[in-house]
Amino acid sequence: MRLTEKEQAMLNGEMGPGFARAMRVLVGIGKAFGAERMVPISRGHISLSNQEGDLWFVSKLLEEQAHCMVPPTVNPAYDYEYFKTISKLDEENERTLKSTIDVYRKLGAILTFDCTPFFENNVPRFGEICSFSASGGAVYVNSVLGARTNREAAQSAMCAAITGVTPEYGLLLEQNRAGDVLIQVEADVDSEYDYELLGYITPKKMGQAYHCPVFNGLSKQTTSEQLMDLGTQLNIHGIVPMFHVVGVTPEAADVHTAFLGRKDPPVVTITNEDLDQARAEISAGTGKADFCILGCPHLTINQVGSIAKMLDGQQLAGQLYIFTSTSTKELAQRMGYLDIIHKAGGEIVINSCVDQPCWSHLYGMSGVTESPKCAYYTKRWNMTFTVKSIPACIQSVLKGEIVS
Ligand code: F3S
């Protein structure tokens, strides 16, 4: 790789061992992927996992006097002060959480603890070079905003935030942003839940060989939430760093453009039967709805508002947790949504993620969620979910029984 004088000096340790370590990691990645040079980043986001390996790596960088030249936003962990009032928290986990927050703060990360920063406080422009980890975040940034990021690990995104550069390969290069399979949508795809089902079923139908599907046949009125849901569910198993929606996303004005002129792509058709199959696979549960978790990824103010409307004047039979960002919660309070949700017996939870060790009070119980990703990630935590649309989730937790 060709490095600039400044990059070479960093690699040689002239800015200290932490910067040298971060640059070594990036040079290693660059060589592995055949990158010829580094390019500057202007934004970053880190999928802080709050796990031991994550903490070990960032602590090492801090000990070696690194700090972020491009301060990144970070994914949620869990809100300790809230969860200690409702769940049984382990002391070891508490130490890991507090140390993780402390180290990220000292390295200069912006402690947003939110998995949809691209809606609020970290919104890349078209063509901007970024370093985003978090599979849902990276796919939204590439596909919907037209900014450029590889789907980074937490560690490589932190190294990019520290050095201010990232190796130029993969989705940073125009030619790798072309679609590789045409998804002809013949199904009726209208609601947010339909987009989730589409995101769930598409990788199963197209197989593992393709990584940039081009959806044709979807509405031009698609909302940001629907596109976020599509991207998130396409990546439950992490194979789709980018997609195009013809006539909607910025690099897909038409099919020809989305494929960068490449002719005769393979075609996969999605029908109503496919969506029915997805619905049957993930939504078939019956029985009790002890609890409901919504917001994986974090909900927008529009989504919180629609939930508040459904709950107005009602009383929940089960427990309801709605994840969102700190600023959306603040807005929900101003709009009166928080009050309605509290009166119904529900809660808006900030800074938090389903995939964290803070849910012991729900272990062994039966829940509903709108997110296939939530249902998948929480299997290791002994939580059982049935996936339904947000309205069906709310109806279920109001009744305490799964409704269709
Ligand atoms: Fe967000 Fe955690 Fe889900 S980071 S997308 S709530 S797994």
Side-chain angles (χ1 to χ4, degrees), residues 193-206 215 229-237 270 274-283 371-373 375-376 379 387:
Y193 191 53
D194 292 338
Y195 277 81
E196 292 195 39
L197 295 175
L198 180 63
Y200 174 85
I201 202 71
T202 296
K204 290 191 167 212
K205 279 208 81 177
M206 73 182 190
F215 291 90
D229 288 338
L230 175 61
T232 302
Q233 308 313 333
L234 279 171
N235 276 291
I236 297 175
H237 302 286
I270 303 283
D274 293 318
L275 291 204
D276 288 344
Q277 183 200 324
R279 202 174 283 111
E281 279 179 24
I282 61 180
S283 293
S371 167
K373 182 174 181 175
Y376 179 73
K379 282 187 181 143
V387 182

Side-chain angles (χ1 to χ4, degrees), residues 181-199:
V181 57
L182 181 65
I183 308 294
Q184 192 60 46
V185 183
E186 292 178 359
D188 301 314
V189 179
D190 299 315
S191 66
E192 285 169 18
Y193 191 53
D194 292 338
Y195 277 81
E196 292 195 39
L197 295 175
L198 180 63

Side-chain angles (χ1 to χ4, degrees), residues 75-76 115 295-297 353-354 373 377:
N75 257 16
C115 47
C296 169
C353 166
V354 286
K373 182 174 181 175
Y377 275 30

Side-chain angles (χ1 to χ4, degrees), residues 62 66-68 99-109 111:
L62 184 65
H67 64 263
C68 294
S99 303
T100 299
I101 294 172
D102 189 48
V103 174
Y104 271 83
R105 181 190 292 116
K106 286 178 177 155
L107 281 171
L111 302 181

Side-chain angles (χ1 to χ4, degrees), residues 45 47-48 75-77 114-116 134-137 232 293-298 323 352-356 371 373-374 377:
H45 178 78
S47 54
L48 166 156
N75 257 16
D114 167 26
C115 47
T116 54
S135 53
T232 302
I293 295 180
L294 302 173
C296 169
H298 286 182
F323 290 146
S352 301
C353 166
V354 286
D355 191 23
Q356 290 287 325
S371 167
K373 182 174 181 175
C374 167
Y377 275 30

